Amino acid sequence: MAFFMERHIGFDLIDSQFRHVMRVAVSVREGVISSATLLKRLRSGSHKSVTYVAFRKVGRVIRAMQLLRCLTDAPLRRRVTAATNKVESGKAMKYHSLLTNAVIFHNALDIAEIVRQLLGEGWEIDPEDLAHISPYLTEHIKGFGEYSTHQLDIEPEAYDPKLDVGSTPLRQQDLTTVGLGTAA
């Protein structure tokens, strides 16, 4: 066991570099050097820097100790699991928001294309009818479905934001006609 620990952890190297490691740690704690600057300096000559290698070895020791502590301490394991789940939940919320926005944008493009086709065929489109169409349609979305990624490198056509249905932008309308011009 001692041979394994010395070979993989390198206590001799940590011991020989202990003063340097501690001096750097105190400098970071005291704000003399930022951790970002320290990492840049250590990485710049990482193959040659024994201090960098010693830091890596110390990091491995700390990680191993924390893993052993988690394995033996059930309350700690529950706290770590709860914190991890909270972080993952936040990531899932961000992913869901991004997916929702992408779906809405894609649906709006599809609706605009269909309206353009109908106008091209001679249909008359009332802006009031369009106001009741929601781009948040989800029936065709498979949240955990299989999606092809072989066409991701194909550049989409330019987005045309104009839809010629005779509507007037709200900013140009008289706000009193839509009930926003009166004081409460």
Coordinates of all heavy atoms in Angstrom, one line a residue, residues 7 9-10 18 31-32 44-45 52 55 60 62 65 78-79 88-89 108 116 141 148 152 161-162 168 171 173-174 180:
R7 N 4.0 6.0 -5.1 CA 4.1 6.0 -6.6 C 3.0 6.9 -7.2 O 3.3 7.7 -8.2 CB 4.0 4.6 -7.2 CG 4.2 4.5 -8.6 CD 4.4 3.1 -9.1 NE 4.6 3.1 -10.5 CZ 3.6 2.6 -11.3 NH1 2.5 2.2 -10.9 NH2 3.8 2.6 -12.6
I9 N 0.7 9.1 -5.5 CA 0.5 10.4 -4.8 C 1.7 11.2 -4.8 O 1.7 12.4 -5.1 CB -0.1 10.2 -3.4 CG1 -1.4 9.5 -3.5 CG2 -0.1 11.5 -2.7 CD1 -2.1 9.2 -2.2
G10 N 2.9 10.6 -4.6 CA 4.1 11.4 -4.6 C 4.3 12.3 -3.4 O 4.6 13.5 -3.5
F18 N 6.6 21.7 -0.2 CA 5.6 22.1 0.8 C 5.7 23.6 1.0 O 4.7 24.3 1.0 CB 5.8 21.3 2.1 CG 4.7 21.7 3.0 CD1 3.4 21.2 2.9 CD2 4.9 22.5 4.1 CE1 2.4 21.5 3.8 CE2 3.9 22.8 5.0 CZ 2.7 22.3 4.9
G31 N -4.8 37.7 -1.1 CA -5.1 38.6 -2.2 C -3.8 39.2 -2.9 O -4.0 40.1 -3.7
V32 N -2.7 38.7 -2.6 CA -1.4 39.1 -3.2 C -1.4 38.8 -4.7 O -1.0 39.5 -5.5 CB -0.2 38.6 -2.5 CG1 1.1 39.0 -3.2 CG2 -0.2 39.1 -1.0
S44 N 2.1 27.9 -17.7 CA 3.0 28.3 -18.7 C 4.2 27.4 -18.8 O 4.8 27.2 -19.9 CB 3.5 29.8 -18.5 OG 4.2 29.9 -17.3
G45 N 4.7 26.9 -17.7 CA 5.9 26.0 -17.8 C 5.5 24.7 -17.0 O 6.4 24.2 -16.3
Y52 N 4.1 23.1 -9.8 CA 2.8 22.8 -10.5 C 2.5 21.3 -10.3 O 1.4 21.0 -9.9 CB 2.9 23.1 -12.0 CG 1.7 22.7 -12.8 CD1 0.6 23.5 -12.8 CD2 1.7 21.5 -13.5 CE1 -0.5 23.1 -13.5 CE2 0.6 21.1 -14.2 CZ -0.5 22.0 -14.2 OH -1.6 21.6 -14.9
F55 N 1.3 20.8 -6.8 CA -0.1 21.3 -6.6 C -1.0 20.2 -7.1 O -2.1 20.0 -6.5 CB -0.3 22.6 -7.3 CG -0.1 23.8 -6.4 CD1 0.9 24.7 -6.6 CD2 -1.1 24.1 -5.4 CE1 1.1 25.8 -5.8 CE2 -0.9 25.2 -4.6 CZ 0.2 26.0 -4.8
R60 N -4.9 15.9 -5.9 CA -5.3 14.5 -5.9 C -5.5 13.9 -4.5 O -6.5 13.2 -4.2 CB -4.3 13.7 -6.6 CG -4.3 13.9 -8.1 CD -3.3 13.1 -8.8 NE -3.3 13.4 -10.3 CZ -2.3 13.2 -11.1 NH1 -1.2 12.7 -10.6 NH2 -2.4 13.5 -12.3
I62 N -6.4 15.7 -1.8 CA -7.6 16.3 -1.2 C -8.8 15.7 -1.9 O -9.8 15.4 -1.1 CB -7.5 17.9 -1.5 CG1 -6.4 18.5 -0.6 CG2 -8.9 18.5 -1.2 CD1 -6.2 20.0 -1.0
M65 N -9.3 12.3 -0.3 CA -9.8 12.4 1.1 C -11.3 12.8 1.1 O -12.1 12.2 1.9 CB -9.0 13.4 1.8 CG -7.6 12.9 2.1 SD -6.5 14.2 2.8 CE -7.4 14.7 4.3
R78 N -25.6 12.9 1.7 CA -27.0 13.5 1.4 C -26.9 14.9 1.0 O -27.6 15.4 0.1 CB -27.9 13.2 2.6 CG -28.4 11.8 2.7 CD -29.6 11.7 3.6 NE -29.2 11.9 5.0 CZ -28.7 10.9 5.8 NH1 -28.5 9.7 5.3 NH2 -28.3 11.2 7.0
R79 N -26.1 15.7 1.8 CA -25.9 17.2 1.5 C -25.3 17.4 0.1 O -25.7 18.2 -0.7 CB -25.1 17.8 2.5 CG -25.8 18.1 3.8 CD -25.1 19.1 4.7 NE -23.7 18.9 4.9 CZ -23.1 18.1 5.8 NH1 -23.9 17.5 6.7 NH2 -21.8 18.0 5.9
E88 N -28.0 20.7 -10.9 CA -28.5 20.0 -12.1 C -29.9 20.5 -12.5 O -30.2 20.7 -13.6 CB -28.5 18.5 -12.0 CG -27.1 17.9 -11.9 CD -26.2 18.2 -13.1 OE1 -26.8 18.2 -14.2 OE2 -25.0 18.5 -12.9
S89 N -30.7 20.8 -11.5 CA -32.1 21.3 -11.7 C -32.0 22.7 -12.4 O -32.8 23.0 -13.3 CB -32.8 21.4 -10.4 OG -34.1 22.0 -10.6
A108 N -42.8 30.3 -35.1 CA -43.1 31.6 -35.6 C -42.7 31.7 -37.1 O -43.4 32.2 -37.9 CB -42.5 32.7 -34.8
R116 N -47.5 33.4 -45.7 CA -47.0 33.9 -47.0 C -47.5 33.0 -48.1 O -47.9 33.5 -49.2 CB -45.4 33.9 -47.0 CG -44.8 35.1 -46.3 CD -43.3 35.2 -46.5 NE -42.8 36.1 -45.6 CZ -42.2 35.8 -44.4 NH1 -42.1 34.5 -44.1 NH2 -41.8 36.7 -43.6
I141 N -43.4 18.3 -30.6 CA -42.1 18.3 -29.9 C -41.9 17.0 -29.1 O -42.8 16.7 -28.3 CB -41.9 19.5 -29.0 CG1 -42.0 20.8 -29.8 CG2 -40.5 19.5 -28.4 CD1 -41.1 21.0 -31.0
S148 N -32.1 14.3 -35.4 CA -31.0 14.1 -36.4 C -30.1 15.4 -36.3 O -30.6 16.5 -36.3 CB -31.5 14.0 -37.8 OG -30.5 14.0 -38.7
L152 N -26.8 19.9 -39.3 CA -26.4 21.1 -38.5 C -25.5 22.1 -39.2 O -25.4 23.2 -38.9 CB -25.8 20.7 -37.1 CG -26.8 20.1 -36.1 CD1 -26.1 19.7 -34.8 CD2 -28.0 21.1 -35.8
P161 N -38.4 39.1 -41.4 CA -39.3 39.5 -40.3 C -40.6 40.1 -40.8 O -41.5 40.3 -40.0 CB -38.5 40.5 -39.5 CG -37.6 41.1 -40.5 CD -37.3 40.0 -41.5
K162 N -40.7 40.5 -42.1 CA -41.9 41.2 -42.5 C -43.0 40.2 -43.0 O -42.7 39.2 -43.6 CB -41.6 42.1 -43.7 CG -40.7 43.3 -43.3 CD -40.8 44.4 -44.3 CE -39.9 45.5 -43.7 NZ -40.4 46.8 -44.0
T168 N -51.0 47.2 -38.7 CA -50.2 48.4 -38.3 C -49.5 48.1 -37.0 O -50.1 47.6 -36.1 CB -51.2 49.6 -38.1 OG1 -52.0 49.8 -39.2 CG2 -50.4 50.9 -37.8
R171 N -47.0 50.5 -32.1 CA -46.3 51.8 -31.8 C -46.9 53.0 -32.6 O -46.9 54.1 -32.2 CB -44.8 51.7 -32.0 CG -44.1 51.0 -30.9 CD -42.6 51.0 -31.2 NE -42.1 49.7 -31.0 CZ -41.7 48.8 -32.0 NH1 -41.7 49.2 -33.2 NH2 -41.3 47.6 -31.7
Q173 N -50.1 53.0 -33.7 CA -51.5 53.1 -33.5 C -51.8 54.2 -32.4 O -50.9 54.4 -31.6 CB -52.1 51.8 -33.0 CG -52.2 50.8 -34.1 CD -52.9 49.5 -33.6 OE1 -53.2 49.4 -32.4 NE2 -53.1 48.6 -34.5
D174 N -53.0 54.7 -32.4 CA -53.4 55.6 -31.3 C -53.6 54.7 -30.1 O -54.4 53.8 -30.1 CB -54.7 56.3 -31.7 CG -55.1 57.3 -30.6 OD1 -54.4 57.5 -29.7 OD2 -56.3 57.7 -30.7
L180 N -55.0 51.8 -23.9 CA -53.8 52.1 -23.1 C -53.6 53.6 -22.9 O -52.6 54.0 -22.3 CB -52.6 51.5 -23.8 CG -52.6 50.0 -23.9 CD1 -51.4 49.5 -24.6 CD2 -52.7 49.3 -22.5

